[in-house]
Amino acid sequence: MKYSKTDRLILDSYAAMIEGLSTYLGSVYEISLHSLEDYNHSVVKIMNGYHSGRSAGAPLTDLALNMLKRIHDQGLSSTEEFTSYKAVNPVGEHLKSSTIPILGENNRVIGILCINLYLDSPFPEILDSLTGTRSEDMEQEYFASDMSDALAKSINDARSQVMFNNNISAVNKNKELIRILHEKGIFRIKNSVSHVAKALGISKNTVYLHLRGIAKDEEE
């Protein structure tokens, strides 16, 4: 199969993605990315490959070949049973697995993403994969119902940080609040300047003035 530039970019994006996915899921998951350019050396990226003893350059599995044959004969809709299934490997280890086709240009299958959860892993390792280590910092995440809600929450959080901080003079509180929102990436959101200006009771021009000042400070 000859790949286009777009096909290769898609596979490269998956290669980068599975690194983060592996960090999130933990060591009990083996995650592999296959390119269909060469079935004999299809694995182009693998995380925690020690589980199966595989590394980059390993061949496509028989189950993946089965899935590709089914896609060829019956279409993509026939692969539902490959999304989540139980399996046993040659050494008797139990797995919960997922084999997912990756689409490139013209809706053709150019790769496969395989995720294997090793169910026989030591329980502490499984628990650590589910919960993370106790030493990790806890981040707070707010699940907003819409973008206006998300903006309001961010503005209120920044206001709490600034308005009761006696080390920040009254004249600089709005600028510092806008700096906090800028550092959080809030002004990448469409119409965020209007929302911030209204919430702070200032004009949009004043918000832009502070943002220009912040940008100038960052350049120095």
Side-chain angles (χ1 to χ4, degrees):
M1 181 185 295
K2 186 174 179 59
Y3 281 6
S4 67
K5 182 178 180 180
T6 298
D7 292 332
R8 296 186 189 283
L9 288 173
I10 291 171
L11 283 175
D12 287 346
S13 71
Y14 272 88
M17 180 270 290
I18 68 171
E19 291 187 11
L21 186 60
S22 178
T23 300
Y24 172 71
L25 292 176
S27 60
V28 297
Y29 285 86
E30 180 188 76
I31 308 173
S32 58
L33 174 66
H34 297 257
S35 166
L36 301 185
E37 283 187 294
D38 182 356
Y39 284 16
N40 292 323
H41 305 283
S42 68
V43 176
V44 292
K45 182 87 172 183
I46 187 165
M47 307 301 296
N48 301 324
Y50 62 86
H51 282 295
S52 63
R54 293 182 299 167
S55 58
L60 203 63
T61 66
D62 53 350
L63 187 140
L65 285 169
N66 182 12
M67 185 184 74
L68 292 173
K69 178 65 165 56
R70 189 171 300 188
I71 291 172
H72 180 268
D73 294 342
Q74 304 175 31
L76 279 169
S77 60
S78 66
T79 64
E80 183 177 343
E81 70 182 74
F82 294 96
T83 303
S84 181
Y85 58 91
K86 297 288 181 65
V88 179
N89 67 13
V91 297
E93 294 173 314
H94 295 81
L95 293 75
K96 181 180 180 182
S97 302
S98 183
T99 301
I100 304 168
I102 298 171
L103 302 183
E105 279 196 302
N106 302 318
N107 213 39
R108 64 176 183 167
V109 181
I110 60 169
I112 295 174
L113 176 65
C114 298
I115 304 174
N116 294 313
L117 167 59
Y118 280 75
L119 298 170
D120 296 331
S121 299
F123 182 71
E125 189 175 355
I126 294 176
L127 186 62
D128 183 64
S129 291
L130 292 173
T131 63
T133 60
R134 291 181 180 272
S135 62
E136 291 174 342
D137 293 332
M138 298 293 288
E139 296 285 349
Q140 291 188 346
E141 185 171 11
Y142 181 68
F143 297 95
S145 57
D146 55 40
M147 193 51 69
S148 295
D149 184 25
L151 285 169
K153 177 66 166 55
S154 295
I155 293 168
N156 287 335
D157 286 348
R159 183 183 278 118
S160 297
Q161 285 182 248
V162 171
M163 294 307 175
F164 301 105
N165 187 339
N166 294 327
N167 294 321
I168 303 172
S169 64
V171 71
N172 285 325
K173 287 190 183 293
N174 278 342
K175 181 178 180 179
E176 187 59 29
L177 193 152
I178 290 169
R179 184 189 303 279
I180 292 171
L181 295 175
H182 166 70
E183 290 174 350
K184 290 184 175 181
I186 294 301
F187 293 105
R188 295 176 181 272
I189 301 171
K190 185 179 180 181
N191 298 324
S192 57
V193 170
S194 297
H195 280 274
V196 172
K198 183 177 180 180
L200 300 184
I202 58 178
S203 69
K204 290 193 294 183
N205 286 338
T206 301
V207 176
Y208 283 121
L209 178 65
H210 286 314
L211 287 172
R212 286 194 293 270
I214 291 165
K216 184 177 180 180
D217 291 343
E218 292 178 342
E219 292 174 358
E220 294 178 351

